[in-house]
Amino acid sequence: MKVRVEVAEDLAEDEVVIRCGRAGEAAEKIRRFALGLGSGEPEIAFYKQNQEFHFPLADVLFFETEGEHVYAHTAGDAYRIRYRLYELEKILPKDFARASKSAILNLRRVYSVTRGLSSARLVRFAGSHKEIYASRHYYRELRLRLNERSSHET
C-alpha cells in the first residue's frame, strides 16, 4: 500500500481520497477513521438483526465482550459492533475507560460504584437497570478518571 499526502492550498476544506483496486475492509476502516478525525468522535456503526444504526457515542453506557463479539449497551438495548475492545481503547474519546478485561464504560453515564463481596466493584448507570463489574486491576485508574470527571463538572 502506498500512502501519499498532497498539499493543495486552494481547498476550502480538507479532502481524503482513497484509491484502491477494490473496495474492501481496509478501505472502509480508513474511511471510518478519517471521518472520525473530522468530527472529533469516531464513527461507529451499531448492528442489530439486519439493521445498521448510527447514534451518538454519548448514548452508549458500556462496551462488553460476549463470546466472539463486542456489544455496545445503551439504556434500553444492545448492539453488536465490528471493533475489538483494544481497538476501541485507541479511538474512543476520553469519556470512556476500561473497567475490566471484557468491558469499557462511559464515565459520563456512571451513576454509582459499589464495593462487592469480592474485590470487584459493581458499576450502575444513570437511567438504566444495566450494571457491570469493574475489576480490581482497572479500578484504581477508573476511580481517578471518575474523580477527574467530578472535579470538572463542579
Side-chain angles (χ1 to χ4, degrees):
M1 175 187 301
K2 290 191 229 177
V3 177
R4 183 177 65 190
V5 176
E6 296 177 5
V7 177
E9 296 177 8
D10 60 333
L11 287 178
E13 84 177 295
D14 290 341
E15 175 184 22
V16 176
V17 177
I18 303 168
R19 295 179 64 204
C20 51
R22 62 178 177 80
E25 189 174 334
E28 179 59 22
K29 282 184 177 181
I30 293 168
R31 184 190 74 81
R32 285 194 311 256
F33 179 77
L35 286 171
L37 288 176
S39 69
E41 183 175 286
E43 184 177 301
I44 296 178
F46 303 90
Y47 301 92
K48 185 158 181 99
Q49 296 167 346
N50 294 336
Q51 290 185 294
E52 181 175 316
F53 298 90
H54 297 272
F55 50 81
L57 280 175
D59 292 350
V60 176
L61 302 176
F62 61 95
F63 295 94
E64 182 177 45
T65 301
E66 193 173 298
E68 293 292 314
H69 301 289
V70 175
Y71 291 89
H73 289 262
T74 62
D77 222 333
Y79 302 86
R80 195 170 55 78
I81 63 167
R82 294 187 175 154
Y83 286 95
R84 298 283 178 215
L85 288 182
Y86 72 88
E87 293 171 320
L88 286 171
E89 278 187 301
K90 293 176 185 175
I91 65 170
L92 287 172
K94 62 178 175 38
D95 295 337
F96 289 83
R98 187 70 94 129
S100 67
K101 284 184 181 179
S102 62
I104 296 173
L105 56 78
N106 184 344
L107 296 167
R108 296 211 172 272
R109 300 296 302 268
V110 172
Y111 178 70
S112 69
V113 180
T114 307
R115 185 180 182 126
L117 295 175
S118 67
S119 58
R121 298 333 198 257
L122 180 64
V123 179
R124 291 191 173 99
F125 298 92
S128 176
H129 68 281
K130 294 187 178 182
E131 54 192 29
I132 61 170
Y133 283 95
S135 71
R136 180 182 54 174
H137 178 76
Y138 292 97
Y139 180 68
R140 180 175 287 127
E141 177 68 21
L142 180 61
R143 187 182 69 216
L144 289 172
R145 301 275 305 279
L146 285 167
N147 287 338
E148 282 176 16
R149 178 197 76 169
S150 297
S151 67
H152 290 332
E153 290 176 355
T154 55

